[in-house]
Amino acid sequence: GYQVAAVDVGPSQEACLKAGADAYFDATDPNIVSALKKVTPDEVGAKAVVVTANSGKAYQTALDLVAVFGTLVCVGIPPPDQPLTLHPITVMDRGIRIIGTLVGTRTDTLEALEFVRRGAVKPVVNTVGFDQLDDVTSEFGNVSVPFSCEEY
């Protein structure tokens, strides 16, 4: 099994670790690449990097985090003005595999539920009454997704 390192910006460490990440790294840290590599076997980087952030910078950083022969999984969709700058030699020389995925299939849901069943992901659940639904749904616009996962 993989160990999961969460990479995010800001005060998300507690939420990431509570959700099941084994380690947390702040994406604004200029030493993030060397820090993450230090916790990977042989200090080579992550075997798989799953980018869920909708940021071009997140994708650029992910390229530096992924190990030789590793996989970069593209999930988050950055705005058109934030492209990923990539020279083909980066992919060819390091043997990086880049794949994109659309989420939300039945198989994705079953796999996600299996992570929860095994305790690898610990969802945060809040129960509210029907009379509070309007308040809760208005809060969805104020919520940010807490992290991107880098597997190593």
Side-chain angles (χ1 to χ4, degrees), residues 49-102:
V49 178
V50 181
V51 182
T52 60
N54 57 351
S55 156
K57 184 160 176 45
Y59 277 96
Q60 288 298 150
T61 301
L63 277 175
D64 294 329
L65 296 175
V66 69
V68 171
F69 301 117
T71 301
L72 173 63
V73 182
C74 305
V75 178
I77 303 171
D81 65 339
Q82 296 183 24
L84 172 63
T85 303
L86 172 70
H87 192 284
I89 196 74
T90 302
V91 176
M92 296 178 324
D93 188 41
R94 294 176 48 207
I96 297 172
R97 191 172 85 139
I98 300 176
I99 61 172
T101 183
L102 296 174

Side-chain angles (χ1 to χ4, degrees), residues 25-37:
F25 298 91
D26 190 321
T28 61
D29 179 356
N31 300 313
I32 185 173
V33 174
S34 60
L36 184 130
K37 285 184 177 183

Side-chain angles (χ1 to χ4, degrees), residues 126-133 136:
N126 295 313
T127 305
V128 298
F130 283 114
D131 59 328
Q132 296 173 294
L133 284 180
V136 172

